[in-house]
Amino acid sequence: MEERIALSRTTKKTRALSDDEIMGRFVVRARRVESNSLVKSGAIKCYATPKMTLSVNEASGASIRYHVCADEESIESLATRLRPFIVKSEPIYLPKVLDAISAQTSSESLSENEAEILKATKSWFSQRYEEKNSERYGIQLVGKDGESLTGLLSDALLAEAWIYTDTVHADPEGEKAEAQKLSYSNRYRAASSYWCEFAIVIVNLLSLVRSLSERGLLKVPDSSWSEPVSYAEAEKYEQEQIIAGSAYVFPPGTVIPEGVNPEDIPGARKVTPEVMIRLQHPEGAAW
């Protein structure tokens, strides 16, 4: 007797986000890009344009010096923070953000500069991400006999291959696998400039959204502008909450009943600077 087992696959359905919600999530994640050290220092403007210096002298021959960000971890952090804007399944996939902005604002309400920012953002995404053009430069690997070992790989493709196969995943396919034929140095050099270039695009768009929101032309949840996007901000926020209210410490193992004021619990001590010092240096504390 043949037995057949029917397997049912459930599909997770997610609620479609409103334009307001999309903009709120964009603001939070774009502020996280804005808080990256390379952005805060202005270094992205320095590294966004690929540069190399060719030196030739009789003693040592020719040498090439590439102008890249030596702080690889900062580029990795920046690229990771930017990645949700290029993942189609993400609610802040850049075309979705641009559609949300267009749905809430009219072209007549935008200044000439604001309209140019939107146009430049759409153009950048189309050409530099979707088409991955070699507007900046491209590299092709050629064998000793002049045969082509790879096609012409744009810096945009190499940069995406770096974040995908060298940083996040380990399963290169298609063009990303082709990029693995080049050296790690080639992929990282492309990443250094490309992700800085993309960061400028996102920061400029955030500035536009901030301006439109302040003028009441774009709906963005207020909490999106104040929500902590880094540990430093989160820690500062928590300290401000303690100052505004009160904090208590209790002996280990204390069970805190519901509805009971903290100061009424046996052994409770209100947190003061003196108490914090004693907690940090218990060996010299006298209670």
Side-chain angles (χ1 to χ4, degrees):
M1 179 179 179
E2 182 182 0
E3 293 185 1
R4 293 184 178 180
I5 300 176
L7 299 178
S8 62
R9 186 175 67 179
T10 57
T11 303
K12 182 180 178 181
K13 294 184 178 180
T14 57
R15 177 180 63 85
L17 297 180
S18 67
D19 293 332
D20 299 20
E21 291 173 314
I22 290 174
M23 294 313 306
R25 296 191 185 192
F26 166 77
V27 165
V28 170
R29 296 309 293 266
R31 286 178 51 228
R32 185 155 170 74
V33 172
E34 192 178 45
S35 70
N36 178 271
S37 59
L38 293 175
V39 179
K40 291 172 69 175
S41 68
I44 54 171
K45 295 179 181 178
C46 176
Y47 296 121
T49 302
K51 297 176 184 178
M52 57 180 261
T53 303
L54 175 64
S55 302
V56 180
N57 61 63
E58 295 181 0
S60 59
S63 63
I64 299 176
R65 179 177 177 273
Y66 295 92
H67 182 66
V68 299
C69 177
D71 187 352
E72 189 171 345
E73 291 181 356
S74 290
I75 292 293
E76 186 174 325
S77 168
L78 182 62
T80 302
R81 296 181 187 200
L82 286 165
R83 195 163 183 267
F85 300 112
I86 59 171
V87 176
K88 286 186 177 181
S89 60
E90 290 286 345
I92 56 172
Y93 180 55
L94 200 53
K96 297 177 184 178
V97 175
L98 295 173
D99 287 344
I101 294 174
S102 297
Q104 292 194 46
T105 59
S106 62
S107 55
E108 293 78 14
S109 64
L110 302 177
S111 68
E112 184 176 341
N113 181 60
E114 290 170 338
E116 184 57 36
I117 291 175
L118 276 181
K119 180 180 178 181
T121 303
K122 293 177 182 178
S123 176
W124 188 95
F125 191 85
S126 172
Q127 296 178 29
R128 295 290 283 150
Y129 175 69
E130 292 181 322
E131 297 178 19
K132 293 180 176 53
N133 66 25
S134 52
E135 177 183 292
R136 300 279 185 168
Y137 70 90
I139 298 177
Q140 183 175 24
L141 188 62
V142 179
K144 292 181 179 179
D145 298 326
E147 73 277 17
S148 298
L149 301 181
T150 68
L152 180 64
L153 306 177
S154 71
D155 65 319
L157 172 62
L158 294 174
E160 188 179 1
W162 177 80
I163 187 62
Y164 189 90
T165 62
D166 293 308
T167 305
V168 181
H169 302 288
D171 59 342
E173 297 179 354
E175 291 183 318
K176 295 183 182 69
E178 188 86 341
Q180 291 293 308
K181 295 179 181 179
L182 297 181
S183 69
Y184 182 90
S185 297
N186 281 320
R187 293 192 297 277
Y188 178 70
R189 290 175 193 133
S192 175
S193 57
Y194 180 85
W195 294 110
C196 286
E197 179 187 345
F198 190 14
I200 291 174
V201 172
I202 293 300
V203 170
N204 286 342
L205 186 60
L206 176 61
S207 295
L208 168 64
V209 169
R210 185 177 281 119
S211 174
L212 294 176
S213 176
E214 290 172 350
R215 285 151 50 199
L217 300 175
L218 196 62
K219 294 180 180 178
V220 179
D222 291 339
S223 60
S224 300
W225 299 108
S226 57
E227 178 180 327
V229 294
S230 67
Y231 176 70
E233 288 185 8
E235 187 178 38
K236 180 181 178 182
Y237 175 79
E238 290 175 0
Q239 292 300 321
E240 289 174 348
Q241 298 308 303
I242 291 175
I243 292 173
S246 298
Y248 291 82
V249 293
F250 306 91
T254 299
V255 177
I256 304 176
E258 288 187 28
V260 176
N261 291 326
E263 62 267 23
D264 295 333
I265 298 175
R269 288 184 178 275
K270 188 174 183 179
V271 173
T272 64
E274 292 77 13
V275 170
M276 289 303 296
I277 292 173
R278 290 177 180 179
L279 289 174
Q280 292 172 13
H281 305 284
E283 67 282 356
W287 297 87

